Amino acid sequence: MKKVSIGSWAFTGENFADHPIDLQEVIEKLHEMKFDGISMGGFMPHANPDLYETPEKRAALLQLLKDNELEVADYAADLWSVDSLQQSEEWIALFEKACIFCDQMGWPVIRVDTGTPPVVPEGMTYAECRAKIVDNFKKIAQFAQKYNKEVVWEFEPGFMINEPKYILETYEAVNEPNFSVLVDTCHAYMSAVMGARHIEENRLEGGVVELINMLSGKIGFVHVIDSDGTLNVTATSTHAPFGLGKIDFDEVIPALIDAGGFKGEWWAIDLCEWPDAWNAIRECKDFVDAFNQKYCG
């Protein structure tokens, strides 16, 4: 059986901007629901390094997690204040701060995206953009190696490089031992099936399963959630609760384990920007518990 977490960023994002759920309340609710861990968002007002800036505050957060018997499955670094193509040095510096924070907290996996929207800037080609992103990824992965941290890259329509062929190309070009791909099932559907916000269209006839096959042995982490085939208000994939979308998890979960070679310890539920995320937690966990028992039990 794999362990189950959920992303805390679901309770601080677009739909909770005016009333984010306090991190302590999130942690206590997950304990009550018998989650194994939390996928920790580095976004305010949750576990941002600038908010937990003292040893005392960091120790208190670790104690809160311990008291509620939760591990941290992965950490989503908040790098969104700068554009990775236009402000690469600043973007890398933000990552380094997040990496040092994770090292001090004992959290092993750091989630990143490409850090720039899927629009080629004036004066650049798409190939040049991809090369710059590869360079950024290599630099952060090499920095993270000093701290024995894994870097997982989540591709999605909200950020550049979402085409299956270029996802694979980018992974291979980075070529660092601690760098892998994070497959979010919702983003995978939007990429492989819908071709959402592709700069160069590259849909796959075999859909999500074909994409998983392409990434076999390269998948370091997985976020699970459904997709209804639409983009949300922030122009990335709508993270629909299980059963409200089009993904066949009886195809996708075995593919991840077998063809995809996913050997990670976690299924991380991602309700990012779902309007009723706080009330959807229980049904989502029940769904994941069921396929976890079926395919990993």
Side-chain angles (χ1 to χ4, degrees):
M1 295 278 283
K2 295 187 186 296
K3 294 179 281 191
V4 180
S5 70
I6 190 169
S8 78
W9 50 82
F11 315 114
T12 63
E14 181 76 17
N15 294 293
F16 290 86
D18 296 328
H19 55 285
I21 308 296
D22 182 74
L23 183 56
Q24 180 171 339
E25 186 176 353
V26 174
I27 288 170
E28 290 173 349
K29 183 162 185 171
L30 299 190
H31 173 66
E32 176 189 330
M33 292 186 176
K34 302 188 185 307
F35 275 82
D36 302 295
I38 183 171
S39 289
M40 189 68 80
F43 313 100
M44 295 286 192
H46 284 187
N48 187 281
D50 291 336
L51 188 61
Y52 290 86
E53 77 282 13
T54 67
E56 293 78 15
K57 289 181 180 179
R58 296 179 181 188
L61 177 54
L62 290 174
Q63 188 62 49
L64 178 64
L65 290 164
K66 182 178 180 181
D67 290 345
N68 286 277
E69 303 177 285
L70 293 178
E71 300 176 51
V72 172
D74 57 316
Y75 179 78
D78 182 5
L79 312 180
W80 291 351
S81 60
V82 298
D83 184 286
S84 68
L85 288 181
Q86 308 298 330
Q87 301 161 285
S88 293
E89 290 185 6
E90 294 93 333
W91 187 84
I92 291 168
L94 283 175
F95 175 86
E96 291 176 352
K97 178 189 285 189
C99 185
I100 292 169
F101 177 62
C102 284
D103 183 60
Q104 294 172 350
M105 300 298 283
W107 301 339
V109 179
I110 307 174
R111 174 263 180 214
V112 299
D113 48 59
T114 59
T116 192
V119 179
V120 177
E122 186 177 349
M124 295 185 74
T125 66
Y126 190 22
E128 289 170 338
C129 292
R130 297 198 310 274
K132 182 60 177 174
I133 288 167
V134 167
D135 183 62
N136 288 344
F137 278 167
K138 284 188 75 71
K139 286 176 178 174
I140 65 171
Q142 289 168 357
F143 184 85
Q145 286 175 42
K146 302 174 186 177
Y147 297 91
N148 197 31
K149 303 300 172 192
E150 295 292 320
V151 178
V152 292
W153 162 41
E154 183 174 9
F155 61 86
E156 61 175 282
F159 297 99
M160 187 176 283
I161 308 181
N162 183 41
E163 303 89 345
K165 64 181 179 181
Y166 290 137
I167 296 167
L168 179 60
E169 174 195 82
T170 299
Y171 166 84
E172 291 178 338
V174 174
N175 192 32
E176 295 293 340
N178 63 329
F179 181 85
S180 58
V181 179
L182 188 163
V183 171
D184 177 302
T185 54
C186 177
H187 295 320
Y189 185 89
M190 294 302 291
S191 172
V193 178
M194 304 303 296
R197 303 190 75 188
H198 284 183
I199 293 172
E200 296 180 14
E201 185 169 320
N202 180 220
R203 304 186 195 204
L204 299 178
E205 184 175 343
V208 176
V209 171
E210 184 176 348
L211 177 56
I212 290 168
N213 287 337
M214 285 177 61
L215 297 174
S216 180
K218 304 165 181 63
I219 302 170
F221 207 85
V222 170
H223 289 171
V224 286
I225 201 65
D226 216 335
S227 170
D228 63 4
T230 69
L231 298 174
N232 65 21
V233 294
T234 62
T236 195
S237 311
T238 301
H239 284 62
F242 301 104
L244 299 184
K246 303 178 179 182
I247 296 176
D248 184 345
F249 286 91
D250 283 322
E251 288 185 352
V252 169
I253 298 303
L256 283 164
I257 295 167
D258 298 328
F262 175 57
K263 302 185 186 305
E265 296 181 273
W266 294 90
W267 298 122
I269 299 167
D270 191 349
L271 282 166
C272 183
E273 294 168 349
W274 182 252
D276 198 31
W278 189 242
N279 295 315
I281 300 173
R282 168 53 65 193
E283 289 185 2
C284 286
K285 184 167 188 298
D286 288 345
F287 188 94
V288 173
D289 284 345
F291 75 61
N292 198 21
Q293 180 64 48
K294 184 175 182 180
Y295 297 111
C296 304

